[in-house]
Amino acid sequence: MRKAGFPPVVDANTRVLILGSLPGETSLAAQQYYGNPRNAFWRLMEGVLDAPLVPLAYEARLAALLAHSVGLWDVIAEAERPGSLDAAIRDPAANDLLNLIETLPALRVVAFNGGTAAKLGGKLIGERAATIALPSSSPAHAARLSSRRPTSGANSGPGSAPDPAGRARLQEIHLRTARAWGSIPSH
């Protein structure tokens, strides 16, 4: 089944653009970015922005992101995909990321939410903008991490997190780093 994403959530003050791959089934049904309650995105952004997001209505969440100069979109405009796993994406058609980036005068960094977004989006953007690859906030990624056995109580490799809480912390560190660079203003 061919699935299509949502329009970008940006304005002229967007300094950080967070790009996912393509919304999953739950998000598409809800017509909301990161609409699956098991997706850690909104909880992570609460920590990064130091602002309540989870209890807000969806439109208020989007407004809060924009108030903190954070925008959202996806790398993939549409694709064939049964279910919600990025591994099942076939025949993707990309969003016009370069055109969007050119319309964002304050943009400092593009953050990719997950490996698929980073792999595909990085090819499209190239050197046109600073980028950062973040661990996926998706519930599928959290399930894969929590099903792994810890090797010695430590991370299994550079940049990896041993469990969903560790993954969430790692993503928060990446986004706080973006804030420290001046990409996300503190309010």
Side-chain angles (χ1 to χ4, degrees):
M1 168 179 229
R2 194 113 184 125
K3 296 175 181 170
F6 309 128
V9 176
V10 296
D11 63 20
N13 298 315
T14 298
R15 294 171 71 174
V16 175
L17 177 61
I18 300 176
L19 297 174
S21 55
L22 181 70
E25 295 280 338
T26 303
S27 294
L28 290 169
Q31 287 295 290
Q32 297 180 359
Y33 280 104
Y34 305 103
N36 187 330
R38 293 184 359 237
N39 191 300
F41 179 81
W42 295 109
R43 291 183 302 279
L44 289 165
M45 291 307 296
E46 276 188 343
V48 170
L49 302 177
D50 195 26
L53 295 173
V54 174
L56 300 177
Y58 178 67
E59 293 301 323
R61 288 179 184 182
L62 296 180
L65 286 181
L66 290 174
H68 285 87
S69 303
V70 177
L72 295 176
W73 205 20
D74 288 304
V75 172
I76 300 169
E78 61 178 53
E80 295 289 331
R81 183 180 65 192
S84 295
L85 296 178
D86 281 357
I89 292 173
R90 300 291 179 262
D91 191 28
N95 275 316
D96 191 352
L97 301 179
L98 293 179
N99 186 54
L100 180 68
I101 287 169
E102 289 175 10
T103 69
L104 301 174
L107 187 68
R108 296 251 182 106
V109 67
V110 175
F112 297 110
N113 186 354
T116 300
K119 181 179 175 184
L120 299 175
K123 289 177 185 176
L124 294 169
I125 292 174
E127 300 295 320
R128 299 267 176 87
T131 61
I132 185 171
L134 303 170
S136 176
S137 64
S138 79
H141 186 68
R144 283 193 307 274
L145 287 173
S146 64
S147 68
R148 292 181 187 165
R149 287 187 181 160
T151 54
S152 63
N155 289 351
S156 59
S160 64
D163 57 38
R167 174 186 51 84
R169 181 69 183 130
L170 181 61
Q171 188 167 23
E172 184 175 337
I173 289 167
H174 280 302
L175 286 168
R176 284 188 184 267
T177 301
R179 183 187 320 176
W181 290 341
S183 302
I184 303 174
S186 299
H187 287 289

